[in-house]
Amino acid sequence: MASGGNPFAPDVFDYRSRTTFNYFHQLIPNRREILDKLLDIIRGDKTEILHEIFGDGDVEECADITTSVYNAPLMAARKRFAPDPFYSAVDFDGLPTGAQRRLLENSVILSGLFGLLRPDDLIPEHTLSMAATVPDVGLLTTYWRPLISPFLNKTVRNKFVWDLLPEPYRVAWDDNDSHAGRATVCFYNPDGKPVSDDTVYRGQLMNFIVRGPATEPEALETWKPSSGFKLSRRKSELDGKIKSIAFIRR
């Protein structure tokens, strides 16, 4: 994540905060619950548990960042996540104005700490995967699923959904079929095996979708990424409301 931000921005953990830049503010109590549990573990110096939560990263650095979350400066989520390969590949600043607006108005981000975010929601620097397990909270995908699904289902009602989520995050959404259609995407090597890390390609695809705008899977046949992928109708499932789109590297 990018560091820094605005130290004078509204407090996004304040129950009374109903600002434009805190879209899913109903989730504030849940965000505070998770953060408070993490702070209790950090204060208790439970190193082994912290390793389990934060994975292979620098646990001390992760703990320092987490300890500062409540008072940290804020910036828009899309800027905070900009160093991540997915968001870097989306290249928000390089998009035409219309495409930027479509991305801001039609995108939702799933977050381990925040549950749901809009790209312009203000957030502090933090580090917590949706796939993590926090003591007394549990696996975060399981924790968030009943909380964020009603908001997400309302947001996508009667709209076509481009589901570019990584698999660990996808299970956090209890899809009630309120949308007009939903498409997931998978990238394959020439030998037919899935690409082990397709983060950049998903970001490049999102760039193409919002530029279009692409409103149906067939529109992706015109996508010609420099990485050499091409839509495979044979390997894709394009019939029905739930679609699976396959790209094969040539």
Side-chain angles (χ1 to χ4, degrees):
M1 294 190 188
S3 301
N6 181 359
F8 304 108
D11 182 0
V12 293
F13 291 99
D14 187 341
Y15 290 99
R16 300 161 296 177
S17 180
R18 302 290 186 270
T19 70
T20 305
F21 302 105
N22 193 0
Y23 193 87
F24 297 102
H25 55 78
Q26 299 92 334
L27 300 175
I28 290 175
N30 309 103
R31 297 165 179 172
R32 294 182 68 102
E33 178 185 6
I34 293 172
L35 184 53
D36 289 343
K37 294 293 184 185
L38 289 173
L39 293 176
D40 286 342
I41 295 167
I42 292 170
R43 294 186 189 108
D45 199 22
K46 300 176 181 179
T47 306
E48 185 175 340
I49 296 176
L50 292 176
H51 274 288
E52 294 175 0
I53 294 172
F54 295 123
D56 298 329
D58 186 331
V59 170
E60 186 174 342
E61 181 182 10
C62 291
D64 288 343
I65 291 173
T66 303
T67 302
S68 302
V69 163
Y70 274 133
N71 300 308
L74 308 177
M75 69 171 63
R78 64 177 179 82
K79 294 182 179 180
R80 182 69 72 192
F81 298 140
D84 179 89
F86 173 86
Y87 292 91
S88 178
V90 171
D91 186 21
F92 180 86
D93 291 337
L95 289 170
T97 302
Q100 289 183 344
R101 185 177 64 253
R102 282 190 286 273
L103 188 149
L104 294 176
E105 294 177 352
N106 295 285
S107 300
V108 178
I109 302 166
L110 270 64
S111 163
L113 179 58
F114 288 89
L116 289 180
L117 293 167
R118 288 286 196 176
D120 262 0
D121 280 355
L122 297 176
I123 59 172
E125 184 179 5
H126 63 283
T127 174
L128 186 64
S129 169
M130 181 71 90
T133 298
V134 178
D136 298 326
V137 173
L139 180 64
L140 291 179
T141 50
T142 303
Y143 174 83
W144 280 120
R145 184 179 171 92
L147 298 170
I148 67 176
S149 294
F151 292 109
L152 190 51
N153 288 326
K154 181 179 179 181
T155 300
V156 303
R157 183 172 296 143
N158 299 324
K159 298 178 181 179
F160 186 83
V161 180
W162 293 106
D163 178 356
L164 301 182
L165 293 168
E167 196 58 43
Y169 284 61
R170 186 169 291 131
V171 296
W173 178 18
D174 184 9
D175 180 0
N176 73 350
D177 209 31
S178 63
H179 50 70
R182 177 180 176 185
T184 60
V185 178
C186 191
F187 293 85
Y188 295 90
N189 288 308
D191 60 5
K193 295 181 180 179
V195 174
S196 58
D197 185 359
D198 60 4
T199 305
V200 170
Y201 309 131
R202 288 173 184 266
Q204 293 173 346
L205 179 59
M206 186 169 185
N207 179 291
F208 175 82
I209 289 170
V210 296
R211 278 177 182 271
T215 57
E216 56 185 18
E218 287 73 15
L220 302 188
E221 287 189 297
T222 63
W223 185 43
K224 292 180 171 55
S226 58
S227 43
F229 286 100
K230 186 175 182 180
L231 186 144
S232 170
R233 282 186 168 272
R234 180 183 60 82
K235 207 171 181 64
S236 300
E237 295 286 344
L238 300 179
D239 295 328
K241 195 172 181 179
I242 307 297
K243 307 174 191 299
S244 174
I245 302 172
F247 287 96
I248 297 181
R249 182 185 274 126
R250 303 300 181 184

